[in-house]
Amino acid sequence: MAEGELQKPLPRLVQEGKLALLQEEMKNVEDLIKDVKRKHFGRSGDTLLHYAARNGHLSVLRYLVEVLEMDLELFNNDYKRPLHEAASMGHQDCLLYLLDRGAAVDCLKKSDWTPLMMACTRRKLEVIQDLVQHGANPLLKNKDGWNCFHIACREGDPGVIQYLLDVSPNIWVTESKIKRTPLHTAAMHGCLEVVQVLLERCHYEPDSADKCGVTPFMDAIQNGHLDIAQLLLDKHKEGHAGTVKTLLFLGADVNAKDGKNRTALHMACAGQHATCVQILLQAGLQDSPDITGTHARQLVRKSSLLQLFKEADISV
């Protein structure tokens, strides 16, 4: 049988974790073991180590490393090492094994992603802790200027955010290449609990804008996360009139509603932000009830806001 035909079953056996069958197959290609040790399979260029680490088969991983003596730092076409695979899939036992065998903790794949960044794409705090405890640098950035904190803020696990702030208190002081902060990221993706942590523990400037002039508040509004928009309003107490004007200029949907059927007018009235209310009413936003039947005008407490609704011929 041709060499290529002999090697074909190997990735499947590794992916399925069938160690005994893998060992049997390897006996059939004993003269080819040297080649198999460095063989790259498929379009991705994965090695057998990549398959084992990605699928979480520790016994197979041990066999490949300790018996076949495969190189832990073999990389595929995206420059992923086996450690990237274990980290990205949250396989703690495989990750610890690779680290204990000396795998480089801050190895880089394509676009300069580290295993810690990959781990932060999942809500597995223990894997992130293992990497940090083995020396992973949380402050490293990928080609877009994101560090692992940006990525964790996108995924929305407040426990991970708290941990990263504990081990690296200044990790929040970071911007991507287009000046987007972790607060932008959390607001855009609707991660309310993370936004709460960031506002409690970090010191972001009100209305910090990226290169396009977009603020976290704008991100929240444009993506329908009105609970986060309200939180940002309450925190900064600025009214965000300029932001509202910018959003309307950019064509934001003035009638957008959150999961409780509240509009931006509800948020502005709840925060008693007269200038925002005025802008929204002038833009033609109609006062509609939320899921409890409450109209925005019923949240008004200030006389200046009452006057705005009277001028707009809306009874309060």
Side-chain angles (χ1 to χ4, degrees), residues 199-220:
L199 293 179
E200 288 168 4
R201 297 193 56 177
C202 308
H203 306 287
Y204 289 106
E205 290 294 321
D207 288 335
S208 56
D210 65 14
K211 279 190 174 181
C212 297
V214 176
T215 67
F217 176 78
M218 293 169 69
D219 273 327

Side-chain angles (χ1 to χ4, degrees), residues 50-123:
H50 286 84
Y51 292 122
R54 183 185 305 136
N55 289 279
H57 298 309
L58 180 59
S59 60
V60 176
L61 196 61
R62 285 183 181 276
Y63 169 72
L64 296 174
V65 173
E66 297 175 23
V67 177
L68 297 191
E69 299 181 334
M70 292 186 69
D71 182 358
L72 297 178
E73 303 303 335
L74 286 171
F75 52 83
N76 66 11
N77 293 343
D78 286 331
Y79 296 98
K80 276 187 183 179
R81 272 67 169 180
L83 188 63
H84 283 103
E85 300 288 1
S88 67
M89 299 305 293
H91 296 310
Q92 186 181 21
D93 52 355
C94 291
L95 178 117
L96 286 173
Y97 175 75
L98 291 167
L99 289 171
D100 291 342
R101 297 289 298 192
V105 71
D106 280 332
C107 53
L108 300 180
K109 81 169 192 72
K110 197 172 183 179
S111 301
D112 296 336
W113 280 61
T114 66
L116 180 57
M117 293 175 192
M118 302 293 289
C120 285
T121 64
R122 291 183 175 268
R123 296 185 172 210

